[in-house]
Amino acid sequence: MQHDLVIKGGTLVTASETFAADIGIRDGKIATLGHDLTGADVIDATGKLVLPGGIEAHCHIEQESGMGLMPADDYRTGSISAAFGGNSCFVPFAAQKPGQSVADTLATYDGRAAPKSVIDYSYHLILTDPNPDVLAELPDAFARGVTSFKVFMTYATRVSDGQFLDILTVARRHGGLTMVHAENHDMLTWMATALAENGYTDPKYHAPARPGLAEEEAINRAISLSKLTNAPLMIVHVSTPKGAALVAEARAEGAYVFGETCPQYLFLTRDDLDRPGKEGAKFICSPPLRDTHTQEVLWRHIAGGTFSVVSSDHAPFRFDESGKFSSGRGVDFRKIANGMPGIEMRLPLLFSEGVVKGRISLNQFVALSATNAARLYGMHPTKGTLAIGADADIAIWDPSETRIAGDMHDAMDYNPFEGTEVTGWPVTVLSRGHRVVDRGELIAQPGDGAFVKRGRSDLSGLSGTRLPETDPARNFGAEVLR
């Protein structure tokens, strides 16, 4: 049997298995797993690991911020950087502007992504104005394959608890997943105002302005809303031990609750905000960086399965007047652009500190980097695994290559992880059987990426919650959840 491309001699790793085999690819799909395969083109993966291509499921690409700023990366530079970091697919956000329809929002992002992305893509729809007309449009978004939504419990775009419940209900009815940025808005505002009014305005005060307690309260409230509606919920960028414990507790009870954390909470601390001059502004992100104790606890939760994914939350704003200092260099921490880059560093950091140092297995790495995201966001088994019939989205890793992190392929002027020694690096990435990057060279062209029509979230392993008040067998026959 002739193949278009054969990857020979590598060690294949999925979320559950590790084995030696060749991969035969035909028409962009994995056609054969076996030995001594032949093909028109061959990649020698001897001594290398052959993994599903990473799926970056939390990144901000060519999306206006709450301050009205466009990040440094568009779909060209953002997708290129993602690919060099071992990713073959990503799911950035499509942010609705107040008063904007869902259809117009998605059309805007189609125009940004389709001509530029070198890897496959989809969107999470950010809902900032969930009025009845917008909620009525959501089934159409599901029909075209956008099956995840994000809401905020803080910022000007925050939703009320009532609006949150409405969104959860619609998403549950159509098999979608709601994502939430969980911080208590009034607690944050009160703390930031008290600090600034007393003259504490340097970048380092961003950390005390957003106490861990504010995250913990909001996570607890979000999980309660999820339980009331029996709707799936993803808590993004969990940054506190108590927040992680709340996710673990809810999952142990069977609730449809999922958690995510990010490399910045595993590798950086609030001390980085206290660098000389304005250097600390590079490390302003939300939730803020915490401490080394938190890092240790979060790693234990990663190993123990609390977190389904580790994502970058790539939000690239340059260290100049176009980004971090768009409001000027003399402003207080509240007016410095919020976010940092990391899309290219996510997987090498997780591999080096996780697999190489024995915190997680290779199979857990695959689950955290690709398979779980594919399942949660409705792409599995087309993506996120090495199986016959799946897209040939593949990353070939050199597990022994050691690098010192420096410049990346994004449009940024700094790397927050610069100087970190990393062991293990992706050397070749394929998307649907075609080379995207190969041994340091970009092969794909802008526009080669395709939109991924996604389906329902995989909720297997969790039973959900049916409260006495919402169970017709125990609430006198009232059908609350339909």
Side-chain angles (χ1 to χ4, degrees), residues 98-170:
Q100 188 179 30
S101 70
V102 171
D104 185 52
T105 301
L106 295 178
T108 297
Y109 284 86
D110 285 341
R112 294 173 179 178
K116 299 177 185 176
S117 186
V118 303
I119 61 175
D120 288 355
Y121 60 90
S122 188
Y123 318 117
H124 306 296
L125 179 63
I126 293 179
L127 293 173
T128 60
D129 184 18
N131 60 60
D133 290 339
V134 168
L135 293 178
E137 281 193 272
L138 293 186
D140 290 336
F142 282 104
R144 67 156 289 181
V146 176
T147 56
S148 49
F149 306 95
K150 185 180 180 183
V151 298
F152 291 85
M153 299 175 78
T154 186
Y155 304 129
T157 55
R158 66 190 179 279
V159 297
S160 69
D161 288 353
Q163 290 173 317
F164 198 167
L165 288 167
D166 288 339
I167 293 166
L168 285 165
T169 301
V170 173

Side-chain angles (χ1 to χ4, degrees), residues 300-422:
R300 289 200 294 271
H301 278 282
I302 290 172
T306 297
F307 297 119
S308 300
V309 290
V310 175
S311 304
S312 70
D313 194 8
H314 181 75
F317 295 102
R318 292 173 63 88
F319 191 63
D320 60 23
E321 283 69 25
S322 74
K324 288 290 185 179
F325 303 113
S326 61
S327 297
R329 289 184 175 266
V331 300
D332 69 56
F333 62 87
R334 296 174 296 178
K335 296 179 182 178
I336 296 173
N338 203 322
M340 65 174 70
I343 200 168
E344 193 169 339
M345 291 296 301
R346 172 182 77 112
L347 295 184
L349 287 169
L350 183 62
F351 188 96
S352 183
E353 197 70 14
V355 177
V356 174
K357 293 195 175 179
R359 288 187 169 101
I360 58 174
S361 69
L362 266 173
N363 308 103
Q364 285 177 300
F365 174 79
V366 170
L368 290 162
S369 65
T371 309
N372 289 349
R375 287 176 173 154
L376 281 171
Y377 297 115
M379 294 183 276
H380 192 266
T382 302
K383 295 187 181 294
T385 190
L386 302 177
I388 293 173
D391 283 354
D393 287 9
I394 296 167
I396 302 173
W397 284 68
D398 183 341
S400 60
E401 180 175 346
T402 297
R403 297 187 184 186
I404 303 298
D407 291 340
M408 296 289 104
H409 293 83
D410 55 23
M412 285 296 292
D413 55 355
Y414 76 93
N415 177 356
F417 306 102
E418 184 174 2
T420 303
E421 183 176 277
V422 177

Side-chain angles (χ1 to χ4, degrees), residues 40-300:
D41 189 9
V42 175
I43 295 176
D44 182 3
T46 302
K48 306 294 193 301
L49 300 174
V50 181
L51 315 180
I55 298 174
E56 172 57 80
H58 187 160
C59 53
H60 302 271
I61 306 293
E62 207 165 339
Q63 172 218 324
E64 294 89 345
S65 73
M67 297 173 64
L69 289 177
M70 189 67 80
D73 281 320
D74 64 7
Y75 273 84
R76 184 185 68 84
T77 58
S79 65
I80 289 171
S81 188
F84 274 97
N87 298 284
S88 57
C89 180
F90 65 169
V91 190
F93 294 96
Q96 175 206 23
K97 296 179 180 178
Q100 188 179 30
S101 70
V102 171
D104 185 52
T105 301
L106 295 178
T108 297
Y109 284 86
D110 285 341
R112 294 173 179 178
K116 299 177 185 176
S117 186
V118 303
I119 61 175
D120 288 355
Y121 60 90
S122 188
Y123 318 117
H124 306 296
L125 179 63
I126 293 179
L127 293 173
T128 60
D129 184 18
N131 60 60
D133 290 339
V134 168
L135 293 178
E137 281 193 272
L138 293 186
D140 290 336
F142 282 104
R144 67 156 289 181
V146 176
T147 56
S148 49
F149 306 95
K150 185 180 180 183
V151 298
F152 291 85
M153 299 175 78
T154 186
Y155 304 129
T157 55
R158 66 190 179 279
V159 297
S160 69
D161 288 353
Q163 290 173 317
F164 198 167
L165 288 167
D166 288 339
I167 293 166
L168 285 165
T169 301
V170 173
R172 175 186 56 78
R173 188 176 299 133
H174 294 276
L177 180 65
T178 303
M179 309 163 72
V180 62
H181 177 132
E183 289 182 288
N184 182 301
H185 178 78
D186 288 336
M187 292 172 73
L188 301 184
T189 301
W190 187 85
M191 280 292 294
T193 301
L195 286 163
E197 287 181 348
N198 284 283
Y200 304 113
T201 59
D202 290 338
K204 62 186 175 184
Y205 294 109
H206 174 75
R210 303 182 86 100
L213 186 64
E215 178 185 91
E216 294 156 12
E217 187 282 330
I219 288 177
N220 183 66
R221 182 157 38 101
I223 289 173
S224 298
L225 299 175
S226 169
K227 288 180 177 180
L228 181 62
T229 56
N230 199 26
L233 180 69
M234 165 62 79
I235 313 288
V236 299
H237 49 49
V238 176
S239 71
T240 58
K242 181 63 179 296
L246 287 166
V247 173
E249 180 183 1
R251 291 176 58 79
E253 294 173 351
Y256 295 135
V257 172
F258 303 91
E260 166 203 272
T261 194
C262 308
Q264 50 268 38
Y265 306 117
L266 303 172
F267 291 88
L268 305 171
T269 71
R270 67 185 60 189
D271 290 341
D272 289 297
L273 289 160
D274 194 22
R275 295 194 184 190
K278 293 291 185 179
E279 286 290 310
K282 294 179 178 179
F283 302 91
I284 286 182
C285 63
S286 295
L289 306 177
R290 306 296 184 184
D291 54 27
T292 55
H293 168 71
T294 295
Q295 293 176 345
E296 295 166 2
V297 174
L298 294 180
W299 272 114
R300 289 200 294 271

